[in-house]
Amino acid sequence: KKLTKRQKKAAVAKVPYFTPKPASAIKGIDIPVEHMMPQQRIDLIADLSESILEDPASALTSTRTEIATPSKSQSKKENDDSNVGGSDAPINEPQYHKTQSKMNKLLDLASLSTNGHDSHAARLALLSLLAIFQDILPAYRIRLPTEAEMSVRVSKETKKDLGL
């Protein structure tokens, strides 16, 4: 079996081939896709895919971080200047920056209209999404139990698992 360059480097350095990355370590997740270079898009697709496969539960949640506000003395001075005109602007209202979910970012990379018409990156993103869905979705069909299955006697644990 042939090893990739990345795997050879990891073997020589005696480090694990795959080290999981926290969501905050994904570079470029806040940069608009159309402003990225092609290699940056490809690297982002790889990082997002690894992160989603590592923790699928967090893949669909977007985060919100508070934007740093100026100190109270500065904001008071600005509010004094703004109140001269008679406006009643709210004082010290926090502002937030919403970060797109990992799955939405990957879907944006898969769309030609939002990724800067980069067909190579779109294909890679679609293949990554396919691999993610195959890994996350169960191999069995999810359905409601039939009347015959409902009439069968089952243990409390099974009832709890089935949600009955």
Side-chain angles (χ1 to χ4, degrees), residues 35-137:
H35 297 306
M36 291 182 178
M37 298 299 291
Q39 188 59 43
Q40 288 176 313
R41 290 184 190 125
I42 293 168
D43 292 341
L44 181 60
I45 290 168
D47 290 343
L48 285 170
S49 299
E50 287 177 3
S51 180
I52 292 169
L53 287 172
E54 175 187 315
D55 187 16
S58 70
L60 298 172
T61 57
S62 58
T63 58
R64 178 175 99 148
T65 54
E66 189 171 349
I67 298 172
T69 55
S71 66
K72 288 184 180 181
S73 62
Q74 271 187 327
S75 62
K76 186 176 180 183
K77 189 181 221 183
E78 288 173 5
N79 285 334
D80 289 343
D81 293 341
S82 65
N83 283 338
V84 172
S87 68
D88 293 326
I91 300 172
N92 295 334
E93 185 176 309
Q95 295 182 352
Y96 295 96
H97 172 72
K98 187 175 180 182
T99 304
Q100 199 174 19
S101 72
K102 296 173 195 174
M103 193 64 87
N104 275 344
K105 190 71 168 188
L106 199 53
L107 286 166
D108 281 351
L109 286 161
S111 172
L112 281 174
S113 62
T114 58
N115 80 354
H117 299 286
D118 186 355
S119 61
H120 182 67
R123 287 184 192 128
L124 288 174
L126 281 172
L127 288 172
S128 296
L129 285 166
L130 175 68
I132 289 166
F133 289 139
Q134 283 182 332
D135 190 63
I136 292 174
L137 294 176

